[in-house]
Amino acid sequence: MHNILCEGRGLVKVHRSKRGGRPLEAVSQVDLRLYQGETLALVGESGCGKSTLARLLLGLLPPTEGQVLFDGQDLAALSPKALRTLRRQFQPVFQDAAGSLQPRQRVGALVAEPLRIHKLCPRGELPQRAARLLERVGLSPELLERYPHQLSGGQRQRVVLARALALGPRLLVCDEPVSALDVSVQAQMLNLLAQLQREQGLTYLFISHDLGVVRHSASRVAVMFLGRLCEIGPREALFRRPRHPYTRFLLDAIPKPDPRRRDALGQLSGEVPDPGNPPSGCRFRTRCPYAQALCAQAVPPLADLGDGQQAACHFPLQG
Ligand code: SF4
């Protein structure tokens, strides 16, 4: 395995409501490592804590408990200046390309902005640097003079990517990188990300609610449910033989060519748990068809099951 680039240790994030409601533990005791050059997909339903976890790893939110290390350096121990410099190395690429681009700025100014803010390029050279960044993401420098609304959704997403690449990052955290795009444009975007990774040794953390989207692009997959990691492992192993019932459910939810091919977990029944008051023991137990008494009594630890696969289940699936 490669070197560890970024690591979360014992991460907990509790959101406290301003109106004095019940505190919500959005991330609960998560240990996660990102290895240099890999693509780790973090998957789960909306509200499961995956975006909060990503923000903790990016240093955009302080954890309530736990540590984030980037290249072995504890983010909490850095001065604000050192943190700002280090954070150039890990950049977010958020899902809403249209929303993250200032509508009144031209593409050239948008792409050059991070270089200008961080004073990484003489003013006179900004247009050439912006043109080169556009070329790197497969866009023509002719688009420099356009405004975001004059671009297609796929082009806008590439402009967002060019901005993230401007600072020479080592880690890109892509929140739903392609879900707003048409299927054919999704494939082009994923191919571009793979090409950039090969050329520059980039590390990616993809965040998605859809296991189908990450099926061909992730090297490892981590599945989250209600703030906890349920399962993590190499993509092939996890798709071939999911060990946690929730991973199995997500796999079954990927649309299949033949809709009659569904199994017992195709539809989850049971009570949807309240994130503000999660079930005792295993947080998935109110929806799990395999739950037993132990599942209510003890939190299942993330246990090694061989082949790099780990699952947090007292009774991991065998088949
Ligand atoms: Fe289901 Fe129990 Fe495993 Fe949780 S620990 S996923 S309730 S079998």
Side-chain angles (χ1 to χ4, degrees):
M1 195 48 99
H2 300 91
N3 297 330
I4 300 169
L5 181 66
C6 178
E7 181 173 11
R9 290 186 186 162
L11 289 177
V12 174
K13 184 67 192 177
V14 177
H15 294 306
R16 289 177 207 285
S17 123
K18 289 199 183 82
R19 294 196 198 119
R22 204 191 276 269
L24 187 127
E25 198 182 39
V27 171
S28 176
Q29 289 300 339
V30 170
D31 293 308
L32 189 66
R33 285 177 171 179
L34 272 159
Y35 294 96
Q36 178 79 46
E38 76 165 339
T39 299
L40 176 69
L42 187 57
V43 179
E45 289 161 307
S46 88
C48 73
K50 56 193 191 300
S51 296
T52 304
L53 177 57
R55 293 172 77 81
L56 294 176
L57 294 170
L58 282 162
L60 295 172
L61 270 183
T64 310
E65 282 174 36
Q67 273 183 308
V68 177
L69 295 106
F70 191 85
D71 242 355
Q73 300 181 75
D74 182 350
L75 298 192
L78 296 174
S79 68
K81 185 161 178 263
L83 182 62
R84 263 200 308 280
T85 308
L86 187 74
R87 280 194 38 210
R88 285 185 209 150
Q89 296 191 40
F90 38 108
Q91 290 292 314
V93 181
F94 291 120
Q95 58 171 319
D96 176 12
S100 62
L101 296 174
Q102 228 330 308
R104 291 203 189 84
Q105 276 191 309
R106 293 180 199 269
V107 168
L110 285 166
V111 173
E113 188 175 65
L115 293 167
R116 190 170 52 72
I117 291 174
H118 290 268
K119 301 191 175 56
L120 293 178
C121 172
R123 216 159 241 284
E125 289 173 25
L126 285 172
Q128 292 102 295
R129 288 284 290 275
R132 280 215 299 279
L133 282 162
L134 281 192
E135 282 171 346
R136 263 169 70 197
V137 298
L139 291 177
S140 161
E142 287 171 15
L143 301 184
L144 285 171
E145 294 304 315
R146 303 257 179 98
Y147 289 97
H149 75 267
Q150 296 172 311
L151 306 179
S152 69
Q155 288 171 329
R156 278 197 292 267
Q157 189 66 296
R158 284 172 193 246
V159 170
V160 171
L161 182 59
R163 273 165 65 88
L165 292 174
L167 298 176
R170 293 164 70 199
L171 167 65
L172 288 185
V173 177
C174 306
D175 194 351
E176 302 286 0
V178 295
S179 60
L181 304 173
D182 294 341
V183 173
S184 62
V185 186
Q186 279 186 3
Q188 291 167 15
M189 189 69 190
L190 290 171
N191 286 340
L192 170 64
L193 288 166
Q195 181 197 331
L196 290 168
Q197 187 172 48
R198 280 194 303 276
E199 289 169 1
Q200 299 175 34
L202 290 168
T203 305
Y204 294 140
L205 177 63
F206 281 3
I207 301 165
S208 182
H209 66 283
D210 183 353
L211 263 178
V213 166
V214 301
R215 165 164 235 154
H216 302 292
S217 44
S219 13
R220 286 192 308 144
V221 178
V223 178
M224 265 186 104
F225 182 81
L226 221 62
R228 292 212 180 118
L229 279 187
C230 305
E231 180 158 6
I232 182 163
R235 179 198 52 186
E236 307 81 37
L238 189 132
F239 273 81
R240 197 178 53 243
R241 192 180 179 212
R243 305 301 299 276
H244 194 285
Y246 180 57
T247 311
R248 175 85 166 273
F249 161 72
L250 288 179
L251 283 172
D252 287 342
I254 299 173
K256 302 211 172 52
D258 179 356
R260 285 167 303 183
R261 276 193 55 210
R262 286 198 162 261
D263 83 0
L265 271 167
Q267 309 275 330
L268 275 185
S269 55
E271 209 183 302
V272 179
D274 170 6
N277 186 19
S280 62
C282 174
R283 291 189 172 185
F284 187 57
R285 73 175 165 81
T286 57
R287 305 188 77 190
C288 180
Y290 307 111
Q292 301 188 33
L294 175 64
C295 306
Q297 291 155 11
V299 176
L302 201 59
D304 264 320
L305 298 170
D307 296 333
Q309 219 167 342
Q310 294 178 300
C313 176
H314 293 303
F315 307 101
L317 299 172
Q318 301 300 326

